[in-house]
Amino acid sequence: MHYTKPSYYDNFRCTAGDCPDTCCQGWQIIIEPEAIERYKANPELWDYVKDSIDYQSAEDGPCYKLEGNHCTHLTEDGLCEMQVKYGFDALCQICKLFPRHTEEYDGERELSIDLSCPVGAEMILNDTEGRFESWDDDTEETDDYEDFDYFLYTELQEARENLFKLIDHKGDIDTLLSVILTMAKNWQECLDDNRVCEMNEERYLSLMECFNYENEKRLFSKLFDMELLRHEWIDTVQTTFDKVFADEASYKKAVTRLEDYNPYIRRVLRYMIYVYFNGAVYDDMIFAKAAFAVFCTRWSFFVFFALDGSGDEMTDLINAVYIFSREVEHSDININMLEDWFEETLL
């Protein structure tokens, strides 16, 4: 098995009760079957946990019951009562791993720290190196991917490396994002025309023009249709819409401000490309995945511009990007809806 991770991956430390926004609320925490069996094997632990398990609400299996909008085991001081009483090993797999994330390919695992975690967001925004580490583990057996298109995957890998090089180059943000969308559009056309072998030989003669007031206002409005994970999200979207898209002058002001945060935008964009782009090997949606990365990066900074902050700029930026990420990335419905929207609207 071949592994890849960002250089900061092993530096993650959960701040537990000091976290400004617990990860134990806002969604259902699925409990894997192995954890259920482990609980049942420990009578004391099973007696504690059994009444907190909901077997009906989640499509993917049993989950912890919610009280209000948070896990029933979350205490007022922001800690997990189960972990306090029975230790870290008592937790289910999701709770042990979050915000660590793994993308699986044929013979490859790519590790990341989620942008949706405040600590993860801070690490990503402060990642000045933009470096990845890779290694092989011959003791790990690879899963069997019968229909995996390895040739397409190698082309996507090369394309993603080209995107990373582009992100590392100096230049203005609007041009960078336009070039990424243009490259992805060309790659999509190669794939659709059965010219995968030509993907990384394409030349990009004219840039896509996606960033104008009316077009981006229409694109951004799709955020109102997302699956709602937290009720305050609607207020966040409405506030951003009202301030950034109030008129063309407001929009141009926000676009101009993007340049002030050029390095930070590149770091968030690198994360988004790393996590999502190669997933096109499973659904052939190269352009949609690039557009998802581009617009989610761009819009998370629009949220930052629109929200009234604490007065500490870096804290406000961290809050904006993780709030945006948490609402969008933690719902497959939202990810798929936005990818379909970008493909339908921009191609």
Side-chain angles (χ1 to χ4, degrees):
M1 182 68 72
H2 185 73
Y3 285 85
T4 302
K5 65 182 179 183
S7 59
Y8 55 78
Y9 181 86
D10 293 332
N11 296 330
F12 172 79
R13 298 292 183 274
C14 178
T15 56
D18 293 328
C19 182
D21 192 354
T22 176
C23 57
C24 303
Q25 68 177 8
W27 54 73
Q28 293 169 318
I29 300 173
I30 306 300
I31 313 169
E32 74 277 11
E34 292 79 7
I36 298 290
E37 293 305 313
R38 181 160 43 84
Y39 297 159
K40 290 181 177 179
N42 182 332
E44 181 182 350
L45 177 55
W46 179 242
D47 186 60
Y48 164 81
V49 77
K50 64 183 180 181
D51 291 336
S52 69
I53 300 175
D54 182 348
Y55 290 92
Q56 297 180 337
S57 295
E59 294 181 1
D60 296 327
C63 61
Y64 291 120
K65 292 178 180 178
L66 296 179
E67 292 184 1
N69 198 34
H70 63 79
C71 174
T72 186
H73 297 293
L74 182 67
T75 63
E76 291 184 359
D77 57 5
L79 299 177
C80 172
E81 185 179 58
M82 179 184 289
Q83 182 172 353
V84 171
K85 287 185 174 182
Y86 297 100
F88 179 79
D89 289 340
L91 301 179
C92 65
Q93 193 74 354
I94 288 178
C95 294
K96 286 180 179 178
L97 292 178
F98 185 83
R100 301 167 188 87
H101 177 78
T102 302
E103 288 292 329
E104 298 256 0
Y105 303 101
D106 189 3
E108 306 237 4
R109 286 186 184 145
E110 296 191 340
L111 313 180
S112 60
I113 300 292
D114 280 3
L115 186 65
S116 60
C117 166
V119 176
E122 182 176 11
M123 295 172 77
I124 290 164
L125 286 165
N126 288 319
D127 177 28
T128 59
E129 295 183 336
R131 184 171 55 84
F132 297 95
E133 300 171 358
S134 296
W135 72 99
D136 292 309
D137 186 348
D138 295 334
T139 65
E140 283 277 351
E141 294 185 6
T142 61
D143 295 326
D144 185 18
Y145 288 76
E146 293 182 2
D147 299 324
F148 192 84
D149 189 338
Y150 196 76
F151 181 61
L152 173 58
Y153 181 69
T154 58
E155 292 294 320
L156 289 171
Q157 281 278 57
E158 184 176 348
R160 191 176 68 171
E161 286 302 315
N162 289 331
L163 293 180
F164 287 152
K165 291 175 184 177
L166 187 65
I167 291 169
D168 289 339
H169 286 170
K170 293 182 179 179
D172 68 272
I173 289 300
D174 257 21
T175 299
L176 168 65
L177 300 183
S178 296
V179 170
I180 288 175
L181 292 176
T182 303
M183 293 170 72
K185 182 175 183 290
N186 279 269
W187 291 331
Q188 187 69 58
E189 290 171 354
C190 285
L191 177 58
D192 293 344
D193 295 341
N194 295 315
R195 296 184 290 114
V196 173
C197 60
E198 299 177 20
M199 272 180 54
N200 291 290
E201 299 174 5
E202 287 287 293
R203 297 296 178 263
Y204 316 101
L205 301 179
S206 59
L207 295 182
M208 289 188 68
E209 296 183 5
C210 299
F211 305 126
N212 61 70
Y213 172 63
E214 290 297 341
N215 192 42
E216 193 160 7
K217 181 179 181 180
R218 178 169 56 102
L219 291 171
F220 186 89
S221 66
K222 195 66 175 178
L223 296 183
F224 288 107
D225 299 332
M226 295 199 318
E227 179 187 26
L228 190 62
L229 301 185
R230 295 193 178 189
H231 295 295
E232 56 266 31
W233 173 248
I234 289 296
D235 291 336
T236 299
V237 175
Q238 189 67 61
T239 299
T240 306
F241 188 82
D242 290 344
K243 291 187 177 182
V244 173
F245 297 98
D247 50 42
E248 192 158 2
S250 300
Y251 171 73
K252 288 182 176 179
K253 181 180 178 180
V255 171
T256 300
R257 286 193 69 190
L258 289 174
E259 203 54 52
D260 297 335
Y261 299 90
N262 190 315
Y264 296 111
I265 291 173
R266 291 172 185 271
R267 293 165 196 170
V268 174
L269 183 61
R270 183 187 295 114
Y271 159 84
M272 297 293 291
I273 292 291
Y274 172 65
V275 172
Y276 290 99
F277 184 77
N278 281 358
V281 72
Y282 295 119
D283 60 15
D284 295 341
M285 296 176 70
I286 298 175
F287 178 81
K289 293 202 167 12
F292 179 81
V294 163
F295 282 100
C296 286
T297 298
R298 188 175 171 94
W299 292 345
S300 64
F301 281 79
F302 283 175
V303 168
F304 166 56
F305 299 156
L307 295 183
D308 292 327
S310 65
D312 182 273
E313 186 176 57
M314 195 62 198
T315 298
D316 295 341
L317 178 54
I318 291 168
N319 289 343
V321 297
Y322 91 70
I323 287 170
F324 189 97
S325 170
R326 182 168 289 192
E327 196 71 23
V328 174
E329 293 188 78
H330 281 271
S331 166
D332 288 339
I333 291 174
N334 290 338
I335 293 172
N336 294 334
M337 182 196 70
L338 287 175
E339 287 184 351
D340 289 342
W341 177 238
F342 294 136
E343 184 175 71
E344 171 190 336
T345 308
L346 298 176
L347 278 184

